[in-house]
Amino acid sequence: MDIIEIKNLRLGFNCECGWREAIHNVSFSLKKGELHALVGESGCGKTITAMSILNLLPKNARITEGEIIFNGNNILSLPQREMNKIRGAKIALIPQDPMTSLNPLYTIENQLLEVIKIHQNLEGKEAYQKAVEALEMVQIPCAEARMKSYPHEYSGGMKQRAIIAMALACNAEVIIADEPTTALDVTIQAQIMNLLNEIKHEKGTSILLITHDLALVKENADRISVMYAGEIVESGNNSEFFICPKHPYTKALLNSLPNKGKGRLETISGQPPSIQQTIDGCKFHPRCKERMEICECNHPSETRVSRTHSAKCFLLNKKGVDF
Ligand code: SF4
């Protein structure tokens, strides 16, 4: 069952050079209790797509088309007041840098109690107990004592756990994790991902993981959508994606992963296009090793490879795959 469905989302920015569309007709869904990874190079549009779900967009950004359905309602049409009730309570964000969410001037206890009061309408002993339980759930040692600490007294991994505890204390149905482990070392990274997986399995929480780290995705994601230049170019479940990728960009990303005995790592030549650049045809064609004449002036539409796997590439049509 889909908990979030993004349908034909278009979003742009008012730049110095005028209006520029950054997200082109993006559609994907997040199912209940799944971890869906949105992957791609920096600047491909994955974070802004995720932020549109929370309606946390920069002032110069605007959604021009599309729907974001959460539990059956188009949240894009909700008044700000209603959206505030969903944000943080039902859909929580784990940012790359936890200090953007934690207030350095207040203790973890103050901050946990505040979200519990706002989103769960609890106060006093009940709220305090819920806060301790949430910190215990994310395995903060001596949780009750550590409630009194200020954020700077927590390590990077503990701060991320405290943010996850806030989502748990509010019983968030969806967690958007935006590069949640980038600032952490490898062992702490694994602990945070294990924690997210536990929450997914035990509470049925849906997780949208924004990342460029394919090793992390391989280990943890149920489904993967690849973004390039503001479009989703391939979507599939974990085995389809890693065993039989279809889009040349996905293949190039996978070939650039470190692999024992493979020798030199492959790189993808060139750079992803900036928002100012207009590219006709397939947006990946200037960097694609398999490009054909048709790719330079025609835009490939989505081709379904299986019930759960699709990609946008003319090669799929050319090979005449029976879908
Ligand atoms: Fe490469 Fe053409 Fe496929 Fe684009 S449509 S990825 S340029 S082969």
Side-chain angles (χ1 to χ4, degrees), residues 47-311:
T47 293
I48 199 79
T49 301
M51 290 308 118
S52 0
I53 299 173
L54 291 161
N55 197 1
L56 288 177
L57 296 173
K59 279 205 176 79
N60 63 338
R62 190 162 49 85
I63 292 171
T64 53
E65 228 179 283
E67 291 181 323
I68 299 180
I69 311 291
F70 171 63
N71 277 340
N73 297 316
N74 181 13
I75 53 177
L76 291 182
S77 57
L78 289 181
Q80 202 51 246
R81 195 167 28 86
E82 292 300 312
M83 195 56 215
N84 289 345
K85 289 185 195 159
I86 291 178
R87 194 189 301 122
K90 297 194 161 133
I91 308 176
L93 172 69
I94 304 176
Q96 184 173 344
D97 176 4
M99 284 315 284
T100 57
S101 293
L102 291 172
N103 189 327
L105 301 177
Y106 292 96
T107 62
I108 298 295
E109 176 177 338
N110 290 144
Q111 300 185 56
L112 265 169
L113 291 180
E114 192 185 355
V115 292
I116 292 170
K117 184 178 171 188
I118 295 171
H119 295 302
Q120 295 284 297
N121 208 14
L122 294 177
E123 287 193 68
K125 264 191 184 165
E126 241 182 318
Y128 182 81
Q129 199 47 42
K130 186 136 187 121
V132 176
E133 278 169 18
L135 277 190
E136 282 171 348
M137 257 190 268
V138 298
Q139 294 141 28
I140 295 281
C142 311
E144 198 162 355
R146 296 312 297 262
M147 291 254 286
K148 312 287 176 214
S149 304
Y150 286 86
H152 75 269
E153 296 173 288
Y154 273 30
S155 66
M158 284 170 78
K159 283 184 205 126
Q160 277 305 38
R161 284 167 194 273
I163 305 266
I164 298 171
M166 287 181 192
L168 291 178
C170 296
N171 298 329
E173 294 171 57
V174 174
I175 292 179
I176 297 177
D178 186 7
E179 307 269 8
T181 59
T182 306
L184 306 174
D185 67 43
V186 181
T187 45
I188 308 295
Q189 188 178 75
Q191 287 172 11
I192 296 291
M193 287 315 302
N194 287 344
L195 178 60
L196 288 175
N197 272 314
E198 265 173 48
I199 293 168
K200 181 188 88 167
H201 288 301
E202 284 172 21
K203 294 185 150 281
T205 310
S206 310
I207 299 168
L208 181 63
L209 174 69
I210 314 295
T211 184
H212 60 270
D213 185 341
L214 283 175
L216 202 77
V217 168
K218 192 173 185 181
E219 286 290 308
N220 296 286
D222 301 304
R223 274 200 299 157
I224 298 122
S225 293
V226 183
M227 282 195 86
Y228 185 79
E231 280 185 70
I232 291 194
V233 295
E234 181 156 8
S235 268
N237 65 33
N238 192 305
S239 54
E240 289 166 330
F241 183 83
F242 284 99
I243 296 170
C244 49
K246 297 295 178 196
H247 197 280
Y249 178 57
T250 310
K251 291 182 205 167
L253 285 177
L254 294 178
N255 284 337
S256 64
L257 274 180
N259 195 349
K260 269 189 211 154
K262 205 175 77 170
R264 281 172 71 91
L265 296 181
E266 286 184 34
T267 54
I268 310 173
S269 65
Q271 299 288 329
S274 73
I275 193 170
Q276 277 90 7
Q277 275 173 283
T278 308
I279 296 182
D280 291 332
C282 169
K283 292 196 188 325
F284 187 56
H285 87 257
R287 303 173 78 191
C288 182
K289 285 184 183 163
E290 301 184 59
R291 72 171 167 265
M292 304 166 283
E293 220 178 302
I294 186 175
C295 310
E296 291 169 23
C297 40
N298 292 283
H299 187 262
S301 53
E302 185 177 88
T303 303
R304 203 146 270 290
V305 185
S306 74
R307 201 173 48 81
T308 48
H309 191 185
S310 61

Side-chain angles (χ1 to χ4, degrees), residues 13-75:
F13 289 91
N14 235 333
C15 311
E16 280 174 12
C17 49
W19 179 255
R20 289 287 182 271
E21 189 171 274
I23 301 299
H24 318 287
N25 216 14
V26 159
S27 299
F28 68 94
S29 64
L30 177 66
K31 294 191 188 307
K32 184 155 176 51
E34 82 165 352
L35 193 153
H36 191 145
L38 202 51
V39 303
E41 291 163 283
S42 299
C44 67
K46 47 193 195 306
T47 293
I48 199 79
T49 301
M51 290 308 118
S52 0
I53 299 173
L54 291 161
N55 197 1
L56 288 177
L57 296 173
K59 279 205 176 79
N60 63 338
R62 190 162 49 85
I63 292 171
T64 53
E65 228 179 283
E67 291 181 323
I68 299 180
I69 311 291
F70 171 63
N71 277 340
N73 297 316
N74 181 13
I75 53 177

